[in-house]
Amino acid sequence: MSMIPAGFTPLFRSSPFLDLLGPIYNQRTDSGLVIGLRAEEKHCNARGQVHGGVLSSLADVALGYNSAFAQEPPTPIVTSSLSIDYAGTAKLGDWISIETDVQKVGKSLAFANCYFVVESVRIARASAVFSVITR
């Protein structure tokens, strides 16, 4: 159950909240940063499915990190809006990967979409708008 797919390493940046949520993994690809998580008991609801709040938190991480690090130097951003649609479920032991598409990082706003995948099946999609913090 604790097997982590090849190419994934512990998330390169964390926080007290992400430490509590994780362990979270990442893999750098040509299209960006793929975020991954192995579903543990602490991630599940009473039905043994990964809680929607866990997926929502992971969406914020995947969308935010990919948007912030889409340019060099990284763009400081904060989440303004996050929307998620659940089309399936993940259960205890599943490997969840989140692939992100950054649509645009502008001077005041950034936009991104992501998909959650379990065993080649999309189980959720999310999108976010971020406010760019001016220095």
Side-chain angles (χ1 to χ4, degrees), residues 67-68 70-71 73-77 102-112 129-134:
S67 297
Q71 300 174 349
T75 305
I77 58 174
V102 176
Q103 186 175 347
K104 178 183 179 180
V105 179
K107 292 182 181 189
S108 59
L109 297 174
F111 304 86
V129 178
F130 299 93
S131 292
V132 174
I133 301 171
T134 55

Side-chain angles (χ1 to χ4, degrees), residues 11-45:
L11 189 63
F12 71 96
R13 182 179 180 191
S14 196
S15 69
F17 175 71
L18 295 183
D19 290 343
L20 184 66
L21 180 64
I24 302 172
Y25 297 88
N26 63 201
Q27 179 182 50
R28 295 182 189 278
T29 67
D30 291 341
S31 59
L33 194 67
V34 178
I35 301 295
L37 177 104
R38 176 70 65 192
E40 297 178 8
E41 193 171 333
K42 69 179 182 178
H43 300 121
C44 295
N45 60 26

Side-chain angles (χ1 to χ4, degrees), residues 20-105:
L20 184 66
L21 180 64
I24 302 172
Y25 297 88
N26 63 201
Q27 179 182 50
R28 295 182 189 278
T29 67
D30 291 341
S31 59
L33 194 67
V34 178
I35 301 295
L37 177 104
R38 176 70 65 192
E40 297 178 8
E41 193 171 333
K42 69 179 182 178
H43 300 121
C44 295
N45 60 26
R47 290 185 298 284
Q49 297 174 343
V50 174
H51 192 284
V54 171
L55 298 181
S56 181
S57 293
L58 290 171
D60 197 35
V61 171
L63 294 162
Y65 280 24
N66 274 283
S67 297
F69 292 95
Q71 300 174 349
E72 197 53 51
T75 305
I77 58 174
V78 294
T79 309
S80 295
S81 173
L82 176 67
S83 174
I84 187 165
D85 299 304
Y86 305 98
T89 59
K91 62 187 181 312
L92 181 66
D94 281 346
W95 175 257
I96 304 164
S97 63
I98 304 114
E99 301 170 8
T100 301
D101 173 39
V102 176
Q103 186 175 347
K104 178 183 179 180
V105 179

